[in-house]
Amino acid sequence: MKKRILICLLALAAILIICCTAAFEACSSNDDNPSEQDIAAEYIPQAPDYSDKTMWVTADGDTDGTGADVFYVVSTWEDDWTTEDGRICHYADVWNPEHRANMADLEMKKVAAYMSPGNRFFAPYYRHTTIQAFMTNSEDTVYQRTRLSMGDVCKAFDLFQAQRDKSRPLIIAGFSQGGLAVVELLKHIDDETYSQLAAAYVLGYKVTKADMAACSHIRPAEGETDTGVTICYNTVKDVKYVLPIIAGSDICINPVNWHTDATPATLHDTITITVSPEYHVLVATNYSATEYPPFRGFLNVGDIHSCEPWLYSECLQKNIKVRAKEWRAGHTH
């Protein structure tokens, strides 16, 4: 019996030695030859330096000093990309000339063209999250990936706020991922900063009941002239095209007639824009939207996402002036 036990113990010891040796060799192999996952570790671009003027697109169209300060956040312009050493990146690189040109030339400067007249316009470059995060249709993925992006926006805003004239009305605006940034900025700012807010414009993104429950600074606009409010809308050809990850909003206002009910409005003489009170989106009829082709079967497939800052540009330009004027009227001493 003792002999059998001894034989079993020796066999077990041999197995353990073989297993431990194999495990050691495997660990040594991983150290010497990194796995594909290690090689493709995520790359985080260098953070922006917002004291550097090249990190901003600005335009001063306030010739008489009676306008507003507009802080604008650009949308998503980059795909996932890979560094020369094989690392994947889920963020725009603010130091990359091509990424900067995409943000500035395709959107920031064009928005400045209609938001800056009569106002001072400020738009920071930031490490915005690539489109792939949103294409997952996962709230968790979007939340995790955009934490870095929203951190950049908050840092840019804090510097902007510290340096601006607080006697001027504040406008915060953004499109798509920039609209998400507006929501996060409203959660970020303190009550004193909120008191300076004429309006916040969430263009092509959602504002949810959870957002409003978490932040007293988010008050849905009820008309054309109220101040300290949030304007939010998303446009579709039919409510069946609502994209929840972007447009699953709990508030909506029509930027053409500033109604929150289903009262229709006529835009550019032929397009009818109507709020769906049930789905909290704008429904556009008699509008082909052919200038916004479908994007990878994800955007512009009946939702017309890409139109938000452009289709209503004249309405937005006018309304910024209206709300800034109303804010000044309520803050005269």
Side-chain angles (χ1 to χ4, degrees), residues 285-300:
T285 54
N286 299 322
Y287 178 47
S288 66
T290 53
E291 63 268 45
Y292 307 112
F295 178 79
R296 299 180 188 174
F298 177 59
L299 297 174
N300 301 330

Side-chain angles (χ1 to χ4, degrees), residues 14 86 89 170 295:
C89 185
L170 170 64
F295 178 79

Side-chain angles (χ1 to χ4, degrees), residues 102-115:
N102 287 341
M103 286 185 266
D105 298 341
L106 299 177
E107 183 176 340
M108 295 154 85
K109 291 178 181 178
K110 292 180 179 180
V111 171
Y114 72 83
M115 286 194 182

